[in-house]
């Protein structure tokens, strides 16, 4: 019962977040781009548990939720910069390259400092810290893994989305010309 309630809560919260971002971005595609790194953060958390040989626990899920916040922030920063550059008149590909260049260091530093700051807790052997280690492992490895997704996969998806959007617009334009 608890798992189904937790899943419903997570899906509802993601839907609300998606709707709010769709309003802000004036797009249905860009909020999807922001949220694409969340599953990769989950994958990183699972890999971290496998690497450190820790069991996935309830605290691990709390770490994944915290990881989602950091990952969404990284993606928001990148996509917002792409949109700013496009509004300023840069070409599509120049905007992607410039945004990646401009936001590479802040995104990488956020992720690396998060990971490095959590390493002492992951290596702690005291009994009091044992319940925190699964949460910290999820957060640290999820953020680290999702960083590369943010820097490589999200811009690639942005290109794919723009390509699909331009094809749909061309097809609609041709259909409207044929009906007139």
């Amino acid at each position: 019962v608890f798992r189904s309630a937790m899943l419903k809560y997570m899906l509802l919260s993601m839907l609300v977040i998606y709707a709010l971002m769709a309003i802000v971005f004036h797009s249905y595609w860009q909020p999807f781009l922001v949220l694409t790194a969340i599953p990769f953060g989950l994958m990183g958390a699972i890999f971290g548990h496998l690497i450190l040989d820790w069991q996935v626990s309830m605290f691990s899920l709390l770490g994944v939720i915290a990881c989602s916040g950091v990952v969404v922030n990284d993606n928001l920063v990148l996509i917002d910069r792409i949109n700013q550059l496009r509004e300023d008149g840069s070409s599509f590909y120049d905007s992607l390259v410039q945004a990646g260049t401009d936001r590479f260091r802040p995104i990488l530093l956020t992720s690396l400092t998060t990971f490095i700051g959590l390493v002492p807790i992951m290596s702690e052997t005291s009994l009091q810290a044992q319940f925190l280690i699964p949460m910290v492992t999820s957060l640290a490895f999820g953020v680290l893994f999702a960083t590369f997704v943010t820097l490589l996969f999200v811009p690639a998806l942005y290109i794919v989305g723009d390509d699909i959007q331009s094809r749909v617009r061309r097809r609609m334009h041709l259909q409207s010309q044929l009906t007139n």
Side-chain angles (χ1 to χ4, degrees):
V1 174
F2 179 74
R3 288 182 190 173
S4 64
M6 181 74 162
L7 182 62
K8 288 177 186 177
Y9 173 74
M10 288 178 67
L11 289 174
L12 181 63
S13 63
M14 285 183 66
L15 183 64
V16 169
I17 291 169
Y18 176 85
L20 291 173
M21 284 190 293
I23 292 168
V24 171
F25 283 133
H26 303 290
S27 168
Y28 296 118
W29 175 247
Q30 290 181 357
F32 175 74
L33 288 175
V34 171
L35 296 175
T36 53
I38 293 175
F40 291 100
L42 175 63
M43 286 174 43
I46 292 170
F47 290 147
H49 280 79
L50 290 174
I51 290 168
L52 298 179
D53 197 29
W54 277 97
Q55 294 289 326
V56 175
S57 68
M58 191 63 195
F59 283 106
S60 301
L61 293 177
L62 294 175
V64 169
I65 292 170
C67 170
S68 299
V70 175
V71 169
V72 164
N73 183 50
D74 287 348
N75 285 346
L76 280 171
V77 165
L78 181 65
I79 291 176
D80 183 56
R81 182 66 180 149
I82 293 169
N83 290 339
Q84 285 176 354
L85 291 169
R86 288 186 76 187
E87 287 175 7
D88 291 343
S90 295
S91 70
F92 177 72
Y93 291 104
D94 289 341
S95 298
L96 282 172
V97 171
Q98 186 63 42
T101 303
D102 290 349
R103 298 300 181 234
F104 177 78
R105 187 172 39 180
I107 290 170
L108 193 64
L109 285 175
T110 299
S111 301
L112 286 178
T113 56
T114 301
F115 183 81
I116 292 169
L118 294 173
V119 167
I121 299 173
M122 284 190 289
S123 59
E124 182 63 43
T125 58
S126 70
L127 188 60
Q128 293 88 357
Q130 295 303 306
F131 73 95
L132 285 177
I133 293 175
M135 180 174 61
V136 169
T137 301
S138 293
L139 176 59
F141 282 95
V143 166
L144 194 65
F145 188 76
T147 297
F148 298 105
V149 171
T150 297
L151 293 172
L152 300 172
F153 186 64
V154 171
L157 276 178
Y158 200 99
I159 292 170
V160 169
D162 189 70
D163 187 43
I164 291 170
Q165 188 178 27
S166 64
R167 287 180 188 214
V168 167
R169 284 184 183 160
R170 273 193 302 241
R171 182 166 282 164
M172 289 175 61
H173 181 71
L174 287 173
Q175 286 178 349
S176 68
Q177 286 181 341
L178 291 175
T179 58
N180 290 336

